[in-house]
Amino acid sequence: MNKLQFDAAGRLRHFLTIEGLGRDLLVRIMDTAQSFTSVSAQQVKKVPLLRGKTIVNLFFENSTRTRTTFELAAKRLSADVLNLNIATSATAKGESLLDTIRNLEAMHVDMFVVRHAESGAAHFIAQHVAPHISVINGGDGRHAHPTQAMLDMFTIRRHKGDFSPLKVAIVGDILHSRVARSEIWALNTLGVAEVRGVGPRTLIPAEAESLGIKVFHDLDEGLADVDVVIMLRLQRERMSGAFLPSEHEYFARFGLTPERLAHAKPDAIVMHPGPINRGVEIDSRVADGPNSVILQQVTFGIAVRMAILSMAMRSGGGPTEEELQ
C-alpha cells in the first residue's frame, strides 16, 4: 500500500494509512500542521495554497465532526468543497462506486476525502482514480483513520514534547476501532516507550500484542504511571454479538473516573476521538476536567488536516512563510 501513497518521486500523493510510513514523514506532517495553527487565529482565516482546487467529501458513513473539520480545513486553504450527500446520490440509487468516481472525475475535481464502512474502500478508490487526483482516507471500516491518529499525535506533541519517554494507554473497544489501529502504528513509529491496550478480553483483538502493545484487562493496572490516556468509544454499530454484559457494568470496570485517573501521572492528559459517551466510557468530571484535552483535539484537527490536504495536493511540500500570509 505504501507505494500507492507516494508518487514516482517519493512524495506524498494519497494518505490512506499510517502503517509503514516513516518517522520523518509523520514529523513533517506535524511540523506543517504547526505552521497552520496561526491561520485560525487570523482575522481572515484563509491562505491561498489550494485556490482553484476542488475537494469532494465523499462520506458513505454519517459523520459530523470529521466531515466538518475536513471542510473547514479545505476552505481555509481556499479550495472549493463539494459535500456529496450519499443518501440522495446516484450511489444510493444503484450506481456503482466506480461509476460515481468516474462522473466526479469528469467534473475535473482534484481530491476525494473518503469515509466508508468497508475496510479498504479508500485504497480501492486510490487504485482507480486519474493520476492527478489525490485520495485521503477519512476512516474505513475497522482498518484505519490516519488523519485522526495524526491529530492525536500532534496533540500529544504539543503537551508532552518528546515522544520517547512516554507511556500511553489506549482504553476501551480496540477490537472495532480504526482509530486505535492507526494510533498504535503512529505511536510505535514515533518511538514511545510503551503503548498499552486496556479493555475487556472481548474487545481486545487476539493479535494485539503482535501490533506492538502491552495488553491489560484491569484498568487500574493499565493506567499506572502513564502520561497519556486515550479513551475509545464503544463501536456498537460494528458489534455483531454480545461483547458486553451491559453498559453499566462496562463503565464500572473500564469507565474513566477521577478515582481511576489518579493511577496515572498527575500531569497525564486525557484524550478521546469522539463522540464521547458520558457515563459509558468516561465520567463528565474527567471529560470536562483539567487533564482533558478533548476539545483541543478538535481544534488541532483542522490544522493537521490542512497539512495533509496541502501536502498531498502539492506533492509533499509544506507552505512557505509568504503563503501563510
Side-chain angles (χ1 to χ4, degrees):
M1 186 178 292
N2 272 337
K3 288 184 179 178
L4 185 62
Q5 297 198 95
F6 297 96
D7 64 16
R11 295 169 301 198
L12 189 68
R13 178 188 168 201
H14 306 298
F15 194 63
L16 307 173
T17 178
I18 301 287
E19 183 178 356
L21 297 183
R23 182 182 181 280
D24 288 348
L25 177 60
L26 302 192
V27 171
R28 184 147 38 97
I29 289 171
M30 290 188 283
D31 289 344
T32 305
Q34 181 63 42
S35 70
F36 282 126
T37 54
S38 62
V39 174
S40 295
Q42 295 175 182
Q43 189 170 10
V44 178
K45 299 178 177 59
K46 275 183 181 284
V47 290
L49 267 71
L50 299 186
R51 182 179 294 159
K53 301 292 187 181
T54 302
I55 297 174
V56 180
N57 284 331
L58 200 57
F59 276 49
F60 294 87
E61 274 191 334
N62 290 330
S63 167
T64 301
R65 184 170 55 187
T66 300
R67 195 179 75 171
T68 301
T69 54
F70 266 116
E71 182 173 354
L72 271 177
K75 288 181 174 176
R76 288 182 183 175
L77 292 166
S78 300
D80 297 314
V81 182
L82 175 63
N83 291 308
L84 195 65
N85 189 345
I86 300 301
T88 57
S89 73
T91 304
K93 298 172 184 173
E95 184 176 78
S96 74
L97 177 59
L98 281 182
D99 282 336
T100 298
I101 297 298
R102 293 284 177 259
N103 278 282
L104 290 167
E105 283 182 346
M107 299 175 198
H108 300 287
V109 304
D110 301 285
M111 173 179 279
F112 294 118
V113 178
V114 179
R115 170 169 283 202
H116 203 288
E118 295 296 327
S119 299
H123 179 251
F124 175 78
I125 292 172
Q127 284 179 307
H128 291 88
V129 293
H132 72 280
I133 293 178
S134 295
V135 177
I136 306 298
N137 185 0
D140 63 328
R142 298 184 188 182
H143 172 236
H145 197 348
T147 63
Q148 177 69 46
M150 286 312 304
L151 76 87
D152 291 346
M153 297 306 109
F154 184 79
T155 305
I156 292 172
R157 192 175 78 164
R158 289 276 296 217
H159 284 272
K160 298 296 180 183
D162 185 10
F163 282 90
S164 60
L166 298 181
K167 294 180 181 176
V168 180
I170 302 174
V171 181
D173 186 3
I174 296 173
L175 178 65
H176 299 97
S177 175
R178 55 195 173 205
V179 174
R181 292 173 193 277
S182 291
E183 285 173 341
I184 291 166
W185 283 112
L187 289 165
N188 282 315
T189 300
L190 291 167
V192 300
E194 187 172 299
V195 185
R196 301 178 181 179
V198 186
R201 296 182 188 280
T202 51
L203 295 180
I204 301 286
E207 75 280 13
E209 291 187 337
S210 68
L211 297 175
I213 63 175
K214 190 173 180 180
V215 173
F216 292 81
H217 299 298
D218 181 280
L219 182 58
D220 295 346
E221 292 178 5
L223 294 182
D225 205 31
V226 299
D227 303 275
V228 178
V229 184
I230 302 175
M231 301 302 295
L232 299 174
R233 182 175 66 87
L234 285 177
Q235 308 277 320
R236 288 206 170 277
E237 70 276 18
R238 297 181 196 142
M239 295 182 186
S240 56
F243 288 83
L244 298 168
S246 71
E247 289 183 350
H248 177 76
E249 184 170 336
Y250 178 80
F251 183 71
R253 291 189 59 201
F254 293 99
L256 188 61
T257 62
E259 294 75 22
R260 264 14 202 302
L261 182 59
H263 290 85
K265 289 182 178 176
D267 63 345
I269 59 172
V270 175
M271 307 171 68
H272 194 303
I276 65 173
N277 293 311
R278 296 171 187 261
V280 177
E281 65 256 359
I282 190 167
D283 189 303
S284 287
R285 292 172 294 167
V286 177
D288 303 325
N291 298 78
S292 173
V293 295
I294 295 171
L295 291 180
Q296 290 180 42
Q297 290 176 263
V298 179
T299 300
F300 294 148
I302 298 172
V304 170
R305 285 173 173 135
M306 288 174 74
I308 292 166
L309 295 179
S310 64
M311 289 173 67
M313 198 87 79
R314 290 156 51 88
S315 298
T320 64
E321 288 294 327
E322 289 183 355
E323 288 173 326
L324 285 171
Q325 302 304 314

